[in-house]
Amino acid sequence: MNQLCRQVSIESPGPTINDCVFSFEVPVPDVPPKGARIRVVCAGACYRLRRSPSISSISSVSSTSSFSSEISQDVACGTAPALPPQSPAHHGLRDGALFPGYEVAGIVESLGTEVEDNEEFKVGDRVVLYPYEGVPHGYAEFIIVPELQYLVKIPDTISLSVAAMLPTGALLAMNTVFKAHEYVENILRERGDNGSCKILIVGTGGLALWALRIAGHHYQNMKNRVSITVASLKDEGFLLAREYEKVNVVQWNEDLYEKQLIERTKDACQGTVDIVIDFGTTSRSLHRSLQCLSRGGVVFISSEVAEKLLPKFSRRAEERQQCIKPVDMGSIEQLRQLVELVGTGEIEPPPHCVFPAEEACEVVKKLCQSEIAGRAILRFHSVN
């Protein structure tokens, strides 16, 4: 196919953030025989950390930026490797290239020649893309999938901007909550009918807010036995967390000493907690999480940062009879379940803001200054 389409490339911000977004034309990709070509409507603005080439990050800027300032603090404390200096113009953004468009929602534009007429999908269907291994890179107007099994239909009750938040951050949060469930069950079984389990969710970016909503739904029939506390670093996240039902919230004000923050958290949780879901996951946040965790407790972290953090904390956790569990991206079956729960209104998505793809440069500037509440979504086409 000789037609061209627009593609946006978002790279590591320079000192003035004026040379990190590029727009150019690329050939429209051919449709795979057994797959489909998707007209991208919305894509989540995401990035990948460059500190370790072996770590492939799929976290959104808003999912992790709540703890972006901890990197420099880790360096100052001697608990993290030195990073390239950052300009004050983008103090809110970690050093890294924005991730190449895995959070994609759009419309089926064409089907492959070997796709049978009775297949589940047809041209015009609204879909979200599961982030399979080898998914094409780039914020482009069109993206292809080799097989239809990587697509999930989106009901009319979900906007495509919300759908674009589901395949990575929300899916990772769901898998983490599900992984924690077996530990919750064991704790409650051991403590009897009157026993309880305490969970601490660290961070108030997209990942943590998704985890809060998913956990709230998952344990709705066990509210009297499962308590959830959110540890928030930013004032904005503090307010967002409090808007969702009545959960305990403790603010991790970095102006305080570690001992004060740990004691503040224990007071809010009425003692140490049994399970921590840590989406801040810097050396400092994980160290603090372990201090708030009871003996025999477990911390869940994303597998994308486990390679860096486990060597530093595994022995310490073992000494306290604690466990650090890495969590991978969820399955496509979980993505289908997530789509259904959001579509029926059983789980409410966190806040998000939609911007035209042409404003990608301005979006990056706003993200760097922490001026966007919730997720940032780029829109390529005006489709509902």
Side-chain angles (χ1 to χ4, degrees):
M1 188 172 187
N2 295 324
Q3 289 182 305
L4 298 177
C5 67
R6 175 183 42 160
Q7 180 166 334
V8 177
S9 175
I10 309 177
E11 318 223 349
S12 294
T16 61
I17 325 179
N18 289 328
D19 55 354
C20 60
V21 178
F22 308 91
S23 182
F24 47 92
E25 292 186 333
V26 296
V28 174
D30 293 332
V31 185
K34 296 182 179 180
R37 184 168 59 217
I38 310 303
R39 179 183 294 273
V40 177
V41 176
C42 292
C46 309
Y47 75 96
R48 171 167 49 198
L49 298 177
R50 281 184 174 174
R51 289 176 298 162
S52 173
S54 61
I55 299 175
S56 177
S57 168
I58 44 180
S59 299
S60 69
V61 169
S62 59
S63 295
T64 57
S65 62
S66 295
F67 289 88
S68 59
S69 61
E70 290 192 13
I71 288 185
S72 58
Q73 293 161 344
D74 283 350
V75 174
C77 296
T79 57
L83 300 177
Q86 295 188 23
S87 164
H90 51 88
H91 62 85
L93 184 64
R94 290 177 173 179
D95 178 55
L98 293 181
F99 198 73
Y102 272 18
E103 294 182 308
V104 169
I107 308 295
V108 176
E109 186 263 352
S110 299
L111 293 170
T113 56
E114 297 181 19
V115 174
E116 301 292 337
D117 291 338
N118 60 355
E119 289 280 359
E120 177 185 359
F121 298 94
K122 64 182 184 299
V123 172
D125 282 346
R126 303 163 76 250
V127 294
V128 67
L129 173 64
Y130 178 74
Y132 64 92
E133 186 70 25
V135 63
H137 290 189
Y139 290 95
E141 292 183 280
F142 292 93
I143 192 170
I144 57 173
V145 292
E147 298 180 22
L148 300 185
Q149 64 177 345
Y150 300 120
L151 297 176
V152 176
K153 279 188 178 180
I154 299 299
D156 293 338
T157 52
I158 300 180
S159 68
L160 289 175
S161 61
V162 169
M165 295 193 288
L166 303 182
T168 54
L171 187 56
L172 175 60
M174 169 174 270
N175 195 34
T176 307
V177 171
F178 285 7
K179 292 291 185 184
H181 180 74
E182 61 179 288
Y183 291 88
V184 173
E185 285 190 324
N186 290 338
I187 290 169
L188 295 179
R189 189 181 304 113
E190 291 173 0
R191 296 177 181 174
D193 294 339
N194 296 323
S196 63
C197 177
K198 291 184 285 187
I199 300 175
L200 176 66
I201 298 176
V202 176
T204 43
L207 283 171
L209 290 176
W210 273 114
L212 174 62
R213 286 154 169 74
I214 293 169
H217 175 268
H218 193 68
Y219 296 113
Q220 60 183 331
N221 296 326
M222 306 168 64
K223 288 184 178 179
N224 295 331
R225 303 194 66 193
V226 177
S227 64
I228 300 175
T229 301
V230 176
S232 166
L233 186 65
K234 296 176 63 178
D235 291 339
E236 171 191 320
F238 181 81
L239 295 174
L240 289 174
R242 294 194 64 173
E243 288 178 4
Y244 183 72
E245 297 187 353
K246 293 183 179 180
V247 299
N248 295 326
V249 181
V250 56
Q251 189 168 10
W252 280 5
N253 187 332
E254 295 304 316
D255 293 332
L256 299 179
Y257 291 110
E258 281 297 304
K259 185 176 180 180
Q260 292 175 297
L261 292 173
I262 292 167
E263 290 303 318
R264 169 184 287 188
T265 306
K266 290 180 180 178
D267 287 344
C269 299
Q270 299 182 351
T272 56
V273 300
D274 303 296
I275 295 171
V276 177
I277 296 176
D278 189 346
F279 290 127
T281 324
T282 62
S283 294
R284 190 173 186 181
S285 73
L286 182 54
H287 177 267
R288 192 180 302 158
S289 294
L290 290 170
Q291 298 300 309
C292 298
L293 188 66
S294 62
R295 296 185 72 85
V298 57
V299 178
F300 290 93
I301 64 175
S302 169
S303 59
E304 68 188 40
V305 297
E307 181 179 331
K308 178 177 77 78
L309 294 178
L310 283 178
K312 296 197 292 186
F313 289 96
S314 292
R315 178 176 296 182
R316 187 180 308 176
E318 289 175 4
E319 292 172 351
R320 296 172 54 87
Q321 298 178 5
Q322 297 169 335
C323 184
I324 303 174
K325 289 284 187 181
V327 181
D328 293 319
M329 178 58 54
S331 66
I332 192 168
E333 288 77 19
Q334 288 176 334
L335 179 57
R336 293 191 181 98
Q337 183 178 358
L338 184 60
V339 167
E340 180 178 355
L341 290 171
V342 174
T344 57
E346 295 180 66
I347 292 179
E348 178 186 356
H352 70 288
C353 298
V354 182
F355 303 89
E358 295 83 359
E359 297 179 9
C361 186
E362 189 63 27
V363 170
V364 172
K365 291 180 181 180
K366 291 181 178 180
L367 288 172
C368 291
Q369 300 294 342
S370 300
E371 295 177 357
I372 297 177
R375 286 301 317 279
I377 305 296
L378 300 178
R379 181 180 291 275
F380 286 82
H381 295 281
S382 298
V383 179
N384 294 327

